[in-house]
Amino acid sequence: MALLPILEFPDSRLRTVATPVDPAEIADPAFQTLLDDMFETMYDAPGIGLAASQVDVHKRFMVIDVSEERDQPLVFINPEISARDGEQVYQEGCLSVPGIFADVTRADRITVEYLDRDGQARRLDADGVLAVCIQHEMDHLLGKLFVDYLSPLKREMVRKKLAKARRQAAA
């Protein structure tokens, strides 16, 4: 397994809309290795979700594990949210926007249909942190970041703060 580089805001590649995964690709050992590498990268970061778009692979899949023990890995291939209910405000962060957190309003409960790691069709009713994480990662697959929910002024402040942090890290 290998750690993958995570794209960071404002990298324009994060705005690429992901294309569906051909179900025939799922059994490919290279695809399965990529899933393993994404889990390793996510756990190392540390994070609870990682969309393929964040590692410069613009296909519709993501990995998630919201468990405290990091022992409940979930793979969502070609996910589609078929139902949303309720509303919650949750403070989100993102591996592509390091060190920044902001309140985002999302559906409280969702139903998502997807293919799992083995290519099997699944349907999951999710709420709480898992529902938020699924919606957050699915935004990445659409070329959207959580900072897009912020005002233009706050988004520009985030951009400047990250640029300053990069300059300091390079010095």
Side-chain angles (χ1 to χ4, degrees):
M1 293 198 301
L3 293 178
L4 304 170
I6 298 172
L7 300 178
E8 291 187 4
F9 177 76
D11 192 310
S12 62
R13 292 172 290 178
L14 288 167
R15 300 304 185 174
T16 305
V17 176
T19 59
V21 174
D22 179 340
E25 288 180 64
I26 297 171
D28 185 324
F31 184 80
Q32 292 294 317
T33 297
L34 177 57
L35 292 174
D36 291 338
D37 291 347
M38 285 179 62
F39 274 113
E40 184 177 357
T41 301
M42 178 188 75
Y43 291 137
D44 183 71
I48 60 172
L50 186 65
S53 299
Q54 292 176 272
V55 294
D56 206 18
V57 176
H58 303 286
K59 296 283 195 165
R60 286 188 58 80
F61 67 96
M62 58 200 191
V63 299
I64 292 176
D65 188 344
V66 298
S67 69
E68 290 289 325
E69 299 79 20
R70 296 174 169 256
D71 63 354
Q72 296 174 29
L74 298 169
V75 173
F76 296 84
I77 301 169
N78 298 334
E80 296 292 338
I81 294 176
S82 57
R84 298 174 193 266
D85 187 42
E87 202 173 81
Q88 67 176 325
V89 175
Y90 192 84
Q91 188 170 75
E92 295 186 24
C94 181
L95 299 178
S96 291
V97 191
I100 305 295
F101 298 89
D103 289 342
V104 177
T105 301
R106 302 231 187 234
D108 186 41
R109 292 171 298 286
I110 62 168
T111 300
V112 62
E113 297 177 30
Y114 62 101
L115 300 176
D116 68 11
R117 181 175 196 142
D118 299 316
Q120 299 298 309
R122 301 279 182 204
R123 179 182 169 154
L124 176 69
D125 294 319
D127 61 8
V129 174
L130 180 56
V132 168
C133 188
I134 291 169
Q135 292 170 85
H136 175 107
E137 299 308 330
M138 285 186 68
D139 274 355
H140 280 296
L141 301 177
L142 298 171
K144 189 172 185 176
L145 299 168
F146 87 98
V147 294
D148 296 339
Y149 292 94
L150 305 178
S151 71
L153 177 63
K154 285 185 180 176
R155 199 167 36 253
E156 185 58 26
M157 288 172 56
V158 167
R159 186 185 326 270
K160 288 179 179 176
K161 184 175 181 179
L162 291 174
K164 181 179 179 183
R166 283 188 201 101
R167 282 192 307 273
Q168 289 174 338

